[in-house]
Amino acid sequence: MAKVKFHSGEAVPLEMHKVRIVQKLSLAPIERRLEAIREAGNNTFLLKNRDIFLDMLTDSGVNAMSDKQQAAMMEADDSYAGSETFTKLENKIRDIFQMEYFLPVHQGRAAENIISRVFVTPGSIVPMNYHFTTSKAHIVLNGGSVEEIIIDEGLQVTSQCPFKGDMDVGKLQTLISTHGAAKIAYVRIETGTNLIGGQPHSLANLREVSRVCRKNGILLVFDASLLADNLHFIKDREAECRGMSVRDITKAIAGLTDIIYFSARKLGCARGGGICTNSRDAFMKMRELVTLYEGFLTYGGMSIREIEALTVGLEETMDEDMISQGPQFIEYMVNDLARQGVPVITPAGGLGCHLDAMAFLPHVPQTEYPAGALASALYLVSGVRGMERGSISEQRNEDGSEVYSNMELLRLAVPRRVFTLSQLKYAVDRIVWLYQNRDLIGGLKFVEEPSMLRFFFGKLEATSGWQAKLVAKFRKDFGDSL
């Protein structure tokens, strides 16, 4: 991905690929979108794809494959055991991460399940820079608890801090001194922290965290699912790394960690995932669970065609043009929105553009889920599906009281090599119009609430008739336009 300056002076991200396969989109009228979001219980996860124009829910499993990945899928060796396809992936893991042992799984949360079952015990603690929904759920299910010790800047919506995903090393040392190293199941670092705006960590911070862990004999577990974006930011923002290749930065990261796991639905633009380590002891503890929960050790719940695609995708992740496209598209979108006064997370991170719902809708209290309401409203006026990353994504306390998120965000994911710049400009235009008419948006309340991972399945309804008013205003301003 390159950034070029136009004659007008505008700097524009330039795609370093061409599109060779297309998929037809549809944009339903706003009246149908109102029916669709109500049928889905104001939960964008429950919308049908036929009712969506731009799907910015996630980058998980929806990144575009390259021509080389598609070609590799035709070479797959479908042997149940001893597959040459798996051997290719295993060798690629050793080459990129310099780790001897590799366990395949069907996706990232499967890796979290296995790691938690092996290393988390009742009463144990897992310090981390910030939690992800499924990682926290698996830790809690196995009797552990999570301690988030991200740096203070990580929870500031607008900031100039280049690495808001860094862990507070002083807090880590205090935590170990207070509870003792034996009570720490492992320390988890999430690259490209998902729930606070895709914010990266630095290599220097990881080095310090690793030093503390090794001094105290504590495992350092690294969630590499969003590694591609974080590699771009380390090379772009960390002065000491600008002369390093992407491959060398990756090896430096791997050398500081004990276990790396990832979702290939994000890293590698395929499906599946894996766990890597140089510890034979850790490998042997996890190996039996892979066979029990995922499948045999040479496929781990993945199709062999996906394994071939992942092998190529991991190699392509070492290409600066590949890893820079997402961050540069996101930066363009964030800067355009900020220029027009729309509250967004800054600096621009990876994964997607994140709208600050509490600043966007200051009149909607957290008790009425502003991020969820904003997701519903944006879909209504644009056909763009985003993801709520706020209090709906949290889980109630055991006594039934609500847990309010540190941030109320609407995430607009930008899958790699999927959208065009004109499509992002359309999304920006509708967001700006919505911000100008934000007073029309009201809150949501649960009418069907699962006890766990409610953001996937829960249903909500509007707390007033605000959606019909928004449709009426849209029709007044846009006429017959979709």
Side-chain angles (χ1 to χ4, degrees), residues 37 42 372-382 434 441 466-467 470:
I37 197 65
N42 289 285
L374 185 55
S376 176
L378 179 59
Y379 168 75
L380 189 57
V381 303
S382 67
L434 191 62
I441 304 171
W466 64 264
Q467 291 174 316
L470 195 60

Side-chain angles (χ1 to χ4, degrees), residues 96-170:
I96 290 176
F97 293 118
Q98 302 287 288
M99 288 193 164
E100 181 65 23
Y101 303 104
F102 174 66
L103 292 167
V105 293
H106 80 273
Q107 66 182 92
R109 70 195 57 172
E112 291 170 340
N113 174 47
I114 288 165
I115 292 169
S116 296
R117 282 181 175 270
V118 170
F119 298 107
V120 176
T121 55
S124 63
I125 299 169
V126 180
M128 56 181 67
N129 50 350
Y130 208 76
H131 81 279
F132 184 62
T133 50
T134 54
S135 61
K136 181 176 180 179
H138 283 299
I139 290 165
V140 171
L141 277 172
N142 285 280
S145 62
V146 165
E147 289 281 351
E148 294 171 341
I149 48 174
I150 198 162
I151 59 172
D152 292 342
E153 292 89 340
L155 299 180
Q156 294 174 4
V157 174
T158 57
S159 169
Q160 297 300 314
C161 178
F163 294 106
K164 289 164 69 174
D166 279 353
M167 179 177 281
D168 189 317
V169 178

Side-chain angles (χ1 to χ4, degrees), residues 234-245 249:
I234 287 176
K235 186 165 177 60
D236 186 60
R237 297 178 182 177
E238 198 163 358
E240 68 173 273
C241 299
R242 285 177 189 150
M244 297 173 67
S245 69
I249 295 171

Side-chain angles (χ1 to χ4, degrees), residues 279-322:
S279 168
R280 179 170 174 78
D281 179 60
F283 170 77
M284 296 300 287
K285 288 177 179 177
M286 294 185 285
R287 184 176 68 169
E288 292 180 1
L289 293 183
V290 169
T291 307
L292 181 63
Y293 290 112
E294 299 296 302
F296 192 61
L297 298 177
T298 53
Y299 69 93
M302 284 189 274
S303 83
I304 41 100
R305 289 169 179 78
E306 293 289 352
I307 294 174
E308 288 279 1
L310 173 55
T311 303
V312 175
L314 288 173
E315 179 60 35
E316 290 178 345
T317 303
M318 299 296 101
D319 179 357
E320 288 184 40
D321 285 337
M322 187 274 179

Side-chain angles (χ1 to χ4, degrees), residues 357-374 388 390-392 402 404-405 408 441-445 460 463-464 466:
M358 283 198 280
F360 201 114
L361 303 175
H363 57 284
V364 178
Q366 274 195 288
T367 55
E368 295 184 12
Y369 309 115
L374 185 55
E388 187 273 356
S391 296
I392 294 176
E402 186 64 271
Y404 293 110
S405 177
E408 294 283 343
I441 304 171
L444 300 174
K445 61 181 179 181
L460 305 97
T463 55
S464 66
W466 64 264

Side-chain angles (χ1 to χ4, degrees), residues 132-309:
F132 184 62
T133 50
T134 54
S135 61
K136 181 176 180 179
H138 283 299
I139 290 165
V140 171
L141 277 172
N142 285 280
S145 62
V146 165
E147 289 281 351
E148 294 171 341
I149 48 174
I150 198 162
I151 59 172
D152 292 342
E153 292 89 340
L155 299 180
Q156 294 174 4
V157 174
T158 57
S159 169
Q160 297 300 314
C161 178
F163 294 106
K164 289 164 69 174
D166 279 353
M167 179 177 281
D168 189 317
V169 178
K171 290 179 182 177
L172 175 61
Q173 292 172 325
T174 300
L175 195 67
I176 295 170
S177 298
T178 301
H179 297 283
K183 192 147 186 192
I184 309 296
Y186 53 84
V187 172
R188 174 182 174 272
I189 290 285
E190 180 181 320
T191 194
T193 44
N194 192 311
L195 295 184
I196 61 165
Q199 295 297 312
H201 65 82
S202 65
L203 180 60
N205 181 251
L206 183 64
R207 192 175 287 122
E208 284 300 299
V209 173
S210 178
R211 179 185 59 79
V212 172
C213 288
R214 289 178 177 175
K215 178 182 176 182
N216 290 278
I218 298 170
L219 282 175
L220 179 54
V221 175
F222 187 80
D223 179 352
S225 300
L226 292 172
L227 178 63
D229 291 345
N230 211 122
L231 287 170
H232 166 77
F233 290 122
I234 287 176
K235 186 165 177 60
D236 186 60
R237 297 178 182 177
E238 198 163 358
E240 68 173 273
C241 299
R242 285 177 189 150
M244 297 173 67
S245 69
V246 174
R247 194 177 297 271
D248 286 342
I249 295 171
T250 304
K251 289 178 180 177
I253 288 171
L256 296 169
T257 62
D258 298 300
I259 295 173
I260 292 176
Y261 76 91
F262 63 91
S263 169
R265 297 176 69 87
K266 295 182 182 291
L267 181 64
C269 299
R271 300 288 195 282
I275 307 171
C276 325
T277 184
N278 274 323
S279 168
R280 179 170 174 78
D281 179 60
F283 170 77
M284 296 300 287
K285 288 177 179 177
M286 294 185 285
R287 184 176 68 169
E288 292 180 1
L289 293 183
V290 169
T291 307
L292 181 63
Y293 290 112
E294 299 296 302
F296 192 61
L297 298 177
T298 53
Y299 69 93
M302 284 189 274
S303 83
I304 41 100
R305 289 169 179 78
E306 293 289 352
I307 294 174
E308 288 279 1

